[in-house]
Amino acid sequence: MASSHSSSPVPQGSSSDVFFKKEVDPTKHIRPVQSLPDVCPKEPTGDSNSLCVAPSLVTDQHRWTIYHSKVNLPAALNDPRLAKRESDFFTKTWGPDFVDTEVIPSFYLPQISKEHFTIYQQEISQREKIHERCKNICPPKDTFDRTLVHTHDKSRTDLEQVPKIFMKPDFALDDSLTFNSVLPWSHFNTAGGKGNRDAASSKLLQEKLSHYLDIVEVNIAHQISLRSEAFFHAMTSQHELQDYLKKTSQAVKMLRDKIAQIDKVMCEGSLHILRLALTRNNCVKVYNKLKLMATVHQTQPTVQVLLSTSEFVGALDLIATTQEVLQQELQGIHSFRHLGSQLCELEKLIDKMMIAEFSTYSHSDLNRPLEDDCQVLEEEKLVSLVFGLLKQRKLNFLEIYSEEMIITAKNIIKQVIVHFHLIYFELADQMRMLNFPQWFDLLKDIFSKFTIFLQRVKATLNIIHSVVHSVLDKNQRTRELEEISQQKNATKDNSLDTEVAYLIHEGMFISDAFSEGELTAMTVDTASQRNASPNSEPCSSDSVSEPECTTDSSSSKEQTSSSATPGGVDIMVSEDMKLTDLELGKLANNIQELLYSASDICHDRAVKFLMSRAKDGFLEKLNSMEFITLSRLMETFILDTEQICGRKSMSLLGALQSQANKFVNRFHEERKTKLSLLLDNERWKQADVPAEFQDLVDSISDGKIALPEKKLGATEERKPAEVLIVEGQQYAVVGTVLLLIRIILEYCQCVDNIPSVTTDMLTRLSDLLKYFNSRSCQLVLGAGALQVVGLKTITTKNLALSSRCLQLIVHYIPVIRAHFEARLPPKQYSMLRHFDHITKDYHDHIAEISAKLVAIMDSLFDKLLSKYEVKAPVPSACFRNICKQMAKMHEAIFDLLPEEQTQMLFLRINASYKLHLKKQLSHLNVINDGGPQNGLVTADVAFYTGNLQALKGLKDLDLNMAEIWEQKR
């Protein structure tokens, strides 16, 4: 494989380059071969003066030497610069049959000759001349560089023949897959009569691997040949290198001697002092550790003592501090390996004790006598329990308090019942035997007890809420202080430069050794602070510093913030609360909801007590004053509980509304029935007005819609009046209308006394007014009174009296409307339209009565004037009868209706009279011609006019009697 042929470092151009490149003289523009600078970049040359006088171990120890070369000699002796291998490379191993064979030209490729390049040569010749001239002017680039590139490309081409598996960095034949890929088993299978062919295949594989080895060795040798100059230069400078190493060794020895002397004179004593200081500090740490262990050993007895005095918070703080010390400062101490689990069990026991204690406290606080003036029982104990429960995240203690509230509410009713000498289990039967005053006193006592109960619950929950609020405020202040501290630390870190000492002795910074005293002083201050804080385990006050007696975290936990409860008890809030702001806010909301729940519980119990008495219809049978008294009591209790708890409970209000609706139904039915009976017995005659009704009307005129108080002395002296005077107008009314006015006022007063029934009362009152209107119409206009009361006929006086009664009601409808409008919510103002409809109905009814009166006279005129004859005597009998009937009509209605209405009515009657007279005259062919018949008619009309104007109040009535005559055509 080694070749003795030498090759030029510059490869010669082949014959195929004749078309593109002229022959270049290899002696021109070829630079001498230079050693590569990357082999030994700082290798000393043969000049002895170039050696440094003072060698440097730092820079010289990483230099490349000949000992770093790991190429075997056969590879180094191969000449990689040969253009190609010997011709017998393949034949010497694989046999003479392995020769190059001629490749059959392809039918698809054209035959290329020199004539194909003639045109290209002609075009490029001119450019080639210019290129040659430029080469003479500008020397070409380094030919050696081009040779290296060419050789590098050739080496890469050769290496590409080697399979990639040999180039992998993790190539190992002990891997079965790699081994099978390199040496397939098919080459070693000699069974089945294929021995000769398999042997040849194995030999071929061996030759192929040898060929790969040769390619690699040739490339390695080529790389060595590129650095041969530096290699031989290193061999020539071997002696100089030995001298250099000798001088370096001597310099190192001198340096070590000097360092040893400096260490002995300057450092040994100081370091000994430092070692003694470290030893002393270690002894102090061990001593403090032993004292801390002794303190921790006393944790369990101390916790027992604290629990015996119900100091749960102090016991929990001591357990937390001890666990922190065990995890940080006493970690790994074998004697305390079980103390952590024991403290955890003790902490769980304290949790159960606190819950049991809180349950006992809740029972004692809520079930103590209600006559006790003290709002909160043992406030300091409550604060301690709440702090302990919050510290342990036992947030379900409010559920315990809620259950106790329910039990206490039941017990309150039992106590009140026992106080009234009733049996609780037979309560329903016994309450049926109580009259309203007795039952009312019982309910009033229950409400007062519930009010005191809610005040106590609120006071207790205020204490709990103040504790929670104090913890929340402390968390916020702590967070703000941490943010301020972080900002200060960031500013300090940016302004200060940190200096680190690099002189190390026995694995410790010397600067740390000098600062140990400062650290000891700082820890002494921390320990003294911890000894002064409450609820912390005691530490010895020995003169020796105690850096291990506390940690930063434990000392920070002992910082407290003080506040006060509503009762004046100081609250010391520690920073070791593990509750987040979200949890504390939710707990505060739960406290407020618990207060609402207490109100709901009291209302629910009151509703059950109320319903137990309402089963037999007792509440529905109450009169107005009794129900109003009950309603006011319940509304007062609802307002008191709303003021205490801050929210209105709806259960008792709903029960009150339900009973009020039943009361309204009964109230309305009673008065509607009463009105119906009055109307059925009304004879529609004018009734005297008692003085109390006049007072009632006068009070309405003063703007006070209410039933006046009875004055016995004054009422007996005053006599009834004939008419009712309302704002200066006289109203002749029947007795039913007077009672209706009183009933209307009862409705209005009921609205004032029970505001929750305003809408129902408005609807019922509208129904009552409509009923009166429709029923009176049936009785008078419809002549129903003839059958109901037994009247012989419906007179004009009955009609006028009915109209005047309706006018009185219409007069008071705006007043009633304003009264209800002032008490209705704005969204229910649409209900006031009922009064507008009622007013319209009443006006229509009044108009119908007026039309009925006119119709009566109209039928009379038609009957009398149809027999009228124009003849003597004057006045005629017909006109005498007409004037007589007109006088009776005037006599019947003048004292009942106002003068204006009387005049309007008679104007309408006169119009009807003129119409009938005109018709009769037209029938008799009597015209206004001044004849005898005209004179007779004129005389009768004058008689009629004189008699009509002679009636009281009709003197100035414009009768316009000229309209009786036909207009002349």
Side-chain angles (χ1 to χ4, degrees), residues 244-259:
Y244 178 76
L245 291 176
K246 185 176 180 181
K247 291 180 181 179
T248 302
S249 178
Q250 291 176 357
V252 169
K253 183 177 180 182
M254 292 176 62
L255 180 61
R256 287 181 176 177
D257 292 340
K258 290 180 180 180
I259 290 174

Side-chain angles (χ1 to χ4, degrees), residues 431 439 604-616 619 634 652 654-656 658-659 662:
M431 279 199 303
W439 180 83
D604 292 341
R605 302 308 304 178
V607 168
K608 290 183 179 180
F609 181 81
L610 190 68
M611 292 297 104
S612 64
R613 187 66 179 95
K615 289 182 179 179
D616 57 348
L619 299 180
M634 296 173 66
L652 186 59
L656 175 60
S658 176
Q659 294 299 323
K662 294 179 181 179

Side-chain angles (χ1 to χ4, degrees), residues 312-373:
F312 298 107
V313 178
L316 291 172
D317 289 339
L318 180 57
I319 291 175
T321 305
T322 305
Q323 288 179 337
E324 185 178 1
V325 170
L326 289 175
Q327 293 176 0
Q328 295 181 359
E329 302 178 14
L330 299 181
Q331 188 175 8
I333 303 298
H334 186 71
S335 59
F336 289 151
R337 63 187 184 276
H338 300 304
L339 183 58
S341 60
Q342 294 174 357
L343 292 177
C344 290
E345 294 296 329
L346 189 58
E347 189 173 3
K348 294 179 181 179
L349 177 62
I350 293 176
D351 293 346
K352 295 179 181 179
M353 292 178 63
M354 286 193 300
I355 292 175
E357 187 70 19
F358 184 80
S359 178
T360 304
Y361 174 83
S362 302
H363 180 77
S364 301
D365 179 54
L366 296 176
N367 288 278
R368 56 196 171 100
L370 296 174
E371 292 78 10
D372 191 359
D373 296 335

Side-chain angles (χ1 to χ4, degrees), residues 466-484:
S466 63
V467 173
V468 174
H469 187 68
S470 300
V471 176
L472 184 60
D473 289 345
K474 182 59 180 177
N475 287 352
Q476 294 177 353
R477 287 196 297 270
T478 302
R479 186 164 53 252
E480 293 175 357
L481 292 175
E482 288 178 354
E483 293 176 355
I484 296 174

Side-chain angles (χ1 to χ4, degrees), residues 19 119-129:
F19 298 105
I119 299 175
Y120 174 74
Q121 287 178 345
Q122 291 175 359
E123 293 178 353
I124 208 68
S125 60
Q126 186 64 27
R127 297 181 183 179
E128 185 178 7
K129 292 178 182 180

